[in-house]
Amino acid sequence: MAIKKWVSIGIIYVCAVVIAYGVITGDNPFESNDLEPHDHAAAQVVEVNSTDFI
Amino acid sequence: MEAKKEVTLPIEGMTCAACATRIEKGLKRVDGVEDANVNFAIEKSTIHYNPEQTSVADFEKKIEQLGYHVQHEKQTFDVEGMTCAACANRIEKRLNKMDGVTEANVNFALENVAVEYNENQVTSQDMMEVVKKLGYALKPQVSKEETSNRKEEEIRHQTGKFIFSAILTLPLLWTMVTHFSFTSFIYSPDMLMNPWVQLALATPVQFIAGKQFYIGAYKALRNKSANMDVLVALGTSVAYLYSIFLGIEWQIQGAAGMPELYFEAAAVIITLVLLGKLFEVRAKGRTGQAIKKLLDMQAKTARVIRDGEELEIAIEEVAVGDQVIVRPGEKIPVDGAIVKGKSAVDESMITGESIPIDKNIGDTAIGSTINKNGMLTIEATKIGKDTALAQIVKVVEEAQGSKADIQRVADRVSGIFVPVVVSIAIVTFLVWYFLVAPGDLRAALVPAITVLVIACPCALGLATPTSVMAGSGRAAELGVLFKGGEYLENTRLIETIVLDKTGTVTKGEPALTDVVPQGDIIKEELLKMAASAEKHSEHPLAEAIVKGADEQDIDLIETTDFESVPGAGIQVTWEGEPLHIGTRKLMKQQNIEIDSIEEKMIELEAAGKTAMLIGYRGALAGMVAVADTVKETSKEAIERLHEQNLEVILLTGDNERTAQAIAKEVGVDRVIAEVLPDQKADEIKRLQQEGKKVAMVGDGINDAPALAIADIGMAIGTGTDVAIEAADVTLMRGDLHSVADSIELSAKTMRNIKQNLFFAFAYNSASIPVAAIGLLAPWVAGAAMACSSVSVVLNALRLQRLKLKREA
């Protein structure tokens, strides 16, 4: 398969997932309720510490 | 009990029916042989034997012991479907186990296998079927163009797959990046935190882009072995399936909050491994560029005269005997002899000689060299695979495909590496699950997955072959042809270099310098006698005397009863009386008194000249002396060898004084003079018995046994085919700098191999404990693994730009 075909299929697939999410959940796929750093970040700090990943 | 077997072996080297009887008797004496029949006419032996008691290898050994040789078919196949060194090992082991296969050598980097086999016992079809059962495809090697097209197609396919995988992985990576406190300000859509969106993005990566890992793993496991595909498939599948489980759990629990998933780890690992593979395929293609460069040197068409007409035809259509016209500025298309015209020919691409060589009728022309200024007509003598260039390409290809000894060690290690790593991963999981974080499946799975991914041995399989390919390719560009990986590896271990004098240290074109008559004989008459007698000899010294006489316009006469006295001189009949020309020894044998000329002779010899005494009618008639000039580069090259801490010895048949004079001029450490041609090999053996690793450098037919017996035999390229055949290394450029170059190339290639093994092995091994104690994320392991393969190949490619000390 040519490179162009792989690229096109990839992009179309990601778009399809985004659209399907919007249709199924009725939510805006690009909405982020987590723009304020405090909540999510604090939660993740605990999480990161617990796994000790680098 | 196994049934009796019959085997037919083709035998080389039989000269008469007695040989056949001898082999037959010898074979019948082997335990387990019931009957043996050797047919001299068709040069084959048929043996009936009990396979429980003996094997074909025993017969071959016996035949070799008797002084004959079992002929083997040699063929190179392309192998498709190999993903790592473990695959290469498996194919090699299986082929080597087949009855009739003498040796199979898989080159993972070149993706081919060279097989030596007995075609009466096994066919290429049998081998293809066996390899197919292992899950790979064996295909007879096609043209280089087709192979290169196939490789380009593979690169395109891998590139496409990687980009596809990257497009789907990027959103997953996005969520991962925003996980950390210091990156939490980055915008991240909620959608991407949804487990089912992550599943939708990760699934094509896992099963479409990652399909090759599952196929590879299945093939390996079916054959009860494991390779890198097993590690990648196992590691990513565990991460993927565990994430699905967590997703279902999240859904059941009311879809509150966001579960910690590992879809992104699986996808990133697959994407990075694909990227590593892509770099690997591209770089592997570049390591073989030396061959491409060599092939590009060849002319594509030739202008031949057929039926009196001048035709331009493809190079493949030129036949031996064709008259080929070469215009100024054109490449000479084939090897041949000049039949018309004269010109200067640039042979630098073959011999390294930068100054164009004047060529006249009767001189030989080498294909791929450039005709500078005159029109030449050449009669083709060698075409296709017989040309000098084709031979060079063949040697380089064989060297690139061969294995260095160190690779065999690496192969063994990579063969057991995967099962060991899987065991470590299981132990890691158990320790975490039962001891470190009891009952925490997630905490136990992550380090186990990381261990699986980080320890992948694919870089280990690439470490040596990529360096051997790049090193031998660069060596060929610099005019040094190693016949195999083992010579590239061992040349650096040489401690003593033995140099033949004529043609190696000297130009091999001696010229007449002195004519010293005795008694009432005049100079011209003495020279006439010497030249007429030496006319029948092919020795370079004889040619110098004849040339000297010719320059002085002396007419030669016919002599009779020419006889060569090896290592001493010649004898002919001159006007009915015996005439001897040669050494003191020869004169002594003929009871000819030489005292009157001894002083002058010593003086000439001390000046590095070779003096030859002439005895006629039982008395001394005089002496002629010739001198060979030392090559301009010899002294400097020997200095380089000394800088490399090598002992340099001059080995010659010449007398001690002449040899010492040359030795002093060029600066060698030791001289072994007055050695008869057949004693040269014994001298090398003697040096080896002193515990030295000896390399012999020579050019003549008489050097061939010494070249063969030395630890490394080096034939200087301007030499004879016999010498080149017997040697392990061919130095295409006629100067001694190539000897120092070969040692430097060998040392630098080995250093590169060791660096590669370090990158591949130490790096992965050191990461295993780090991964096992949970200090490494799975995606970091994926990146590290890809880096190790890429760094290995890139490091090997550095050899292609290698500069030698004398160039620097």
Side-chain angles (χ1 to χ4, degrees):
Chain A
M1 202 155 38
I3 298 174
K4 267 187 191 170
K5 270 190 188 169
W6 280 107
V7 176
S8 316
I9 294 171
I11 294 170
I12 293 167
Y13 185 80
V14 172
C15 293
V17 170
V18 173
I19 295 164
Y21 175 83
V23 171
I24 294 168
T25 62
D27 294 339
N28 175 0
F30 303 105
E31 191 184 20
S32 171
N33 292 319
D34 210 16
L35 276 175
E36 303 81 15
H38 56 278
D39 293 331
H40 183 71
Q44 293 312 316
V45 166
V46 174
E47 228 172 63
V48 168
N49 285 344
S50 70
T51 46
D52 271 330
F53 285 167
I54 56 163
Chain B
M1 192 180 144
E2 269 193 78
K4 304 276 178 288
K5 276 194 171 179
E6 182 191 308
V7 65
T8 305
L9 301 175
I11 300 174
E12 276 180 339
M14 288 191 287
T15 51
C16 62
C19 298
T21 315
R22 194 161 158 238
I23 298 171
E24 211 170 87
K25 276 187 187 164
L27 287 171
K28 280 180 181 166
R29 259 184 248 132
V30 176
D31 284 342
V33 170
E34 299 196 336
D35 192 23
N37 186 3
V38 179
N39 188 324
F40 172 60
I42 57 167
E43 297 186 308
K44 277 182 182 171
S45 80
T46 309
I47 307 155
H48 296 264
Y49 66 103
N50 181 349
E52 282 179 354
Q53 281 180 281
T54 186
S55 68
V56 178
D58 295 333
F59 309 146
E60 292 194 5
K61 205 170 147 192
K62 186 77 200 174
I63 293 167
E64 297 282 340
Q65 272 174 4
L66 292 168
Y68 305 93
H69 182 63
V70 178
Q71 213 178 357
H72 291 120
E73 188 70 18
K74 278 183 188 171
Q75 201 175 348
T76 305
F77 300 90
D78 285 330
V79 188
E80 286 178 9
M82 288 195 292
T83 53
C84 69
C87 303
N89 266 342
R90 196 156 61 245
I91 296 170
E92 195 172 284
K93 266 191 201 162
R94 184 66 192 87
L95 284 173
N96 276 318
K97 266 189 201 163
M98 285 181 81
D99 276 345
V101 173
T102 319
E103 199 185 355
N105 221 333
V106 177
N107 186 313
F108 173 55
L110 280 174
E111 290 174 279
N112 66 22
V113 53
V115 193
E116 211 179 305
Y117 64 101
N118 177 359
E119 56 184 341
N120 293 299
Q121 265 185 294
V122 65
T123 63
S124 50
Q125 201 58 39
D126 297 337
M127 290 185 262
M128 285 179 198
E129 272 165 30
V130 161
V131 173
K132 196 177 166 192
K133 275 186 194 157
L134 291 176
Y136 307 93
L138 201 65
K139 292 185 173 173
Q141 236 180 12
V142 286
S143 72
K144 286 186 179 66
E145 245 170 65
E146 215 172 302
T147 309
S148 118
N149 288 345
R150 218 155 55 192
K151 290 227 161 101
E152 271 171 29
E153 174 57 36
E154 195 195 332
I155 290 174
R156 272 199 299 274
H157 185 70
Q158 287 283 350
T159 311
K161 216 151 63 167
F162 161 70
I163 298 174
F164 170 78
S165 183
I167 292 170
L168 269 64
T169 303
L170 275 173
L172 294 168
L173 198 65
W174 190 355
T175 62
M176 193 173 73
V177 169
T178 58
H179 258 57
F180 305 103
S181 56
F182 57 91
T183 54
S184 58
F185 63 90
I186 299 172
Y187 159 72
S188 166
D190 287 348
M191 177 195 82
L192 293 180
M193 300 302 286
N194 185 299
W196 307 123
V197 171
Q198 290 200 12
L199 175 70
L201 291 170
T203 303
V205 178
Q206 191 73 32
F207 300 109
I208 297 176
K211 186 177 148 197
Q212 65 189 67
F213 303 116
Y214 284 103
I215 293 174
Y218 167 71
K219 283 176 187 172
L221 294 172
R222 200 182 58 183
N223 291 294
K224 298 182 187 72
S225 67
N227 59 3
M228 69 157 275
D229 295 321
V230 173
L231 298 180
V232 175
L234 193 61
T236 58
S237 299
V238 170
Y240 176 83
L241 294 173
Y242 182 56
S243 300
I244 294 179
F245 166 75
L246 291 174
I248 295 170
E249 198 180 52
W250 168 79
Q251 193 72 49
I252 293 168
Q253 286 168 357
M258 289 297 163
E260 194 177 335
L261 304 169
Y262 298 98
F263 285 121
E264 92 286 343
V268 170
I269 289 168
I270 287 178
T271 308
L272 287 175
V273 176
L274 284 177
L275 178 67
K277 285 257 151 207
L278 180 64
F279 277 137
E280 195 182 299
V281 176
R282 292 177 83 105
K284 259 165 34 179
R286 277 170 54 197
T287 50
Q289 257 181 355
I291 297 275
K292 200 172 170 290
K293 272 192 202 166
L294 286 170
L295 289 171
D296 285 346
M297 276 163 50
Q298 204 172 26
K300 303 282 178 276
T301 58
R303 207 173 284 112
V304 299
I305 303 170
R306 288 205 181 147
D307 303 324
E309 240 182 281
E310 200 180 301
L311 297 170
E312 186 157 346
I313 58 170
I315 187 88
E316 296 81 14
E317 291 170 31
V318 179
V320 172
D322 268 343
Q323 302 238 319
V324 183
I325 294 172
V326 191
R327 295 197 175 129
E330 284 183 348
K331 274 183 189 168
I332 295 174
V334 289
D335 292 3
I338 297 170
V339 290
K340 201 172 151 193
K342 60 177 187 178
S343 177
V345 176
D346 177 4
E347 293 186 341
S348 58
M349 56 291 290
I350 302 284
T351 62
E353 174 60 60
S354 54
I355 303 161
I357 317 265
D358 286 327
K359 298 265 178 178
N360 278 307
I361 293 172
D363 287 344
T364 53
I366 309 170
S368 311
T369 56
I370 298 166
N371 176 22
K372 296 300 264 189
N373 49 21
M375 178 100 124
L376 291 173
T377 305
I378 293 163
E379 188 176 302
T381 53
K382 283 177 182 171
I383 55 162
K385 61 179 173 48
D386 297 324
T387 61
L389 183 70
Q391 295 292 324
I392 292 169
V393 170
K394 192 172 158 236
V395 171
V396 177
E397 270 183 337
E398 280 178 3
Q400 291 193 332
S402 68
K403 273 188 182 172
D405 291 336
I406 197 166
Q407 191 179 339
R408 295 179 207 281
V409 180
D411 284 351
R412 273 204 298 276
V413 174
S414 67
I416 56 164
F417 208 63
V418 176
V420 168
V421 168
V422 173
S423 312
I424 295 173
I426 293 170
V427 171
T428 305
F429 176 82
L430 295 175
V431 169
W432 273 87
Y433 193 74
F434 292 107
L435 300 173
V436 183
D440 189 346
L441 188 65
R442 185 196 59 76
L445 269 180
V446 174
I449 293 167
T450 315
V451 168
L452 286 176
V453 177
I454 195 90
C456 204
C458 57
L460 203 59
L462 283 171
T464 319
T466 47
S467 295
V468 169
M469 279 174 73
S472 50
R474 178 69 181 135
E477 280 173 20
L478 293 166
V480 179
L481 300 181
F482 289 94
K483 280 198 186 160
E486 64 268 41
Y487 306 121
L488 186 57
E489 183 177 355
N490 296 331
T491 301
R492 83 203 152 97
L493 303 173
I494 290 303
E495 296 157 320
T496 302
I497 298 271
V498 179
L499 304 172
D500 166 52
K501 184 179 76 81
T502 313
T504 303
V505 176
T506 64
K507 285 181 180 166
E509 293 160 4
L512 180 73
T513 54
D514 301 84
V515 180
V516 186
Q518 286 284 294
D520 51 4
I521 197 161
I522 59 164
K523 260 189 178 184
E524 286 73 18
E525 184 63 16
L526 185 70
L527 186 55
K528 186 176 183 174
M529 283 168 89
S532 300
E534 295 281 12
K535 203 169 68 172
H536 300 284
S537 170
E538 284 174 0
H539 196 282
L541 297 178
E543 282 170 18
I545 296 170
V546 176
K547 204 174 161 196
D550 190 43
E551 280 166 6
Q552 293 181 31
D553 292 328
I554 292 172
D555 292 327
L556 306 185
I557 63 161
E558 271 308 311
T559 56
T560 54
D561 307 324
F562 175 84
E563 200 183 314
S564 167
V565 186
I570 61 157
Q571 179 184 317
V572 295
T573 301
W574 170 275
E575 292 174 349
E577 297 283 343
L579 171 69
H580 295 91
I581 305 179
T583 59
R584 290 179 180 85
K585 201 167 109 190
L586 183 70
M587 296 302 131
K588 210 171 186 182
Q589 279 171 8
Q590 301 304 320
N591 294 320
I592 297 171
E593 190 56 54
I594 58 165
D595 286 350
S596 57
I597 211 163
E598 184 69 34
E599 200 179 327
K600 178 72 181 166
M601 194 173 180
I602 291 170
E603 185 191 314
L604 291 172
E605 284 171 348
K609 295 173 183 177
T610 305
M612 282 166 282
L613 299 162
I614 302 165
Y616 183 52
R617 287 183 189 149
L620 189 70
M623 173 175 68
V624 287
V626 295
D628 190 2
T629 41
V630 169
K631 288 179 186 172
E632 291 82 4
T633 51
S634 293
K635 188 168 189 263
E636 205 183 298
I638 289 168
E639 267 169 31
R640 260 183 86 200
L641 291 171
H642 282 143
E643 279 167 23
Q644 289 172 330
N645 295 322
L646 294 163
E647 183 191 16
V648 185
I649 297 176
L650 186 71
L651 182 69
T652 175
D654 243 338
N655 67 73
E656 184 78 28
R657 273 188 216 96
T658 311
Q660 286 290 359
I662 301 274
K664 205 174 158 193
E665 192 179 340
V666 294
V668 299
D669 305 304
R670 227 169 111 187
V671 173
I672 305 174
E674 291 168 41
V675 180
L676 292 175
D678 54 349
Q679 289 171 348
K680 283 189 177 177
D682 297 335
E683 289 297 333
I684 301 288
K685 256 192 230 164
R686 204 162 298 143
L687 289 166
Q688 284 171 325
Q689 278 161 5
E690 288 172 24
K692 289 172 178 160
K693 288 255 178 223
V694 183
M696 166 80 198
V697 188
D699 71 327
I701 294 172
N702 58 14
D703 295 324
L707 289 172
I709 215 159
D711 294 291
I712 297 285
M714 295 184 182
I716 241 164
T718 44
T720 58
D721 289 349
V722 181
I724 292 169
E725 185 63 34
D728 308 314
V729 182
T730 302
L731 311 171
M732 289 195 289
R733 300 180 180 178
D735 76 64
L736 284 177
H737 272 298
S738 297
V739 179
D741 290 351
S742 66
I743 292 164
E744 206 178 319
L745 279 161
S746 164
K748 287 189 170 163
T749 306
M750 269 316 284
R751 197 167 63 198
N752 194 274
I753 290 175
K754 284 179 183 166
Q755 287 164 348
N756 271 356
L757 287 173
F758 175 80
F759 282 136
F761 189 66
Y763 189 48
N764 286 16
S765 308
S767 307
I768 294 176
V770 183
I773 55 174
L775 289 176
L776 219 56
W779 70 271
V780 178
M785 193 184 114
C787 277
S788 101
S789 293
V790 173
S791 55
V792 158
V793 181
L794 290 180
N795 187 47
L797 284 175
R798 283 193 315 123
L799 285 173
Q800 285 185 337
R801 294 188 304 276
L802 176 78
K803 275 212 169 2
L804 295 175
K805 272 186 189 153
R806 72 161 155 155
E807 292 178 314

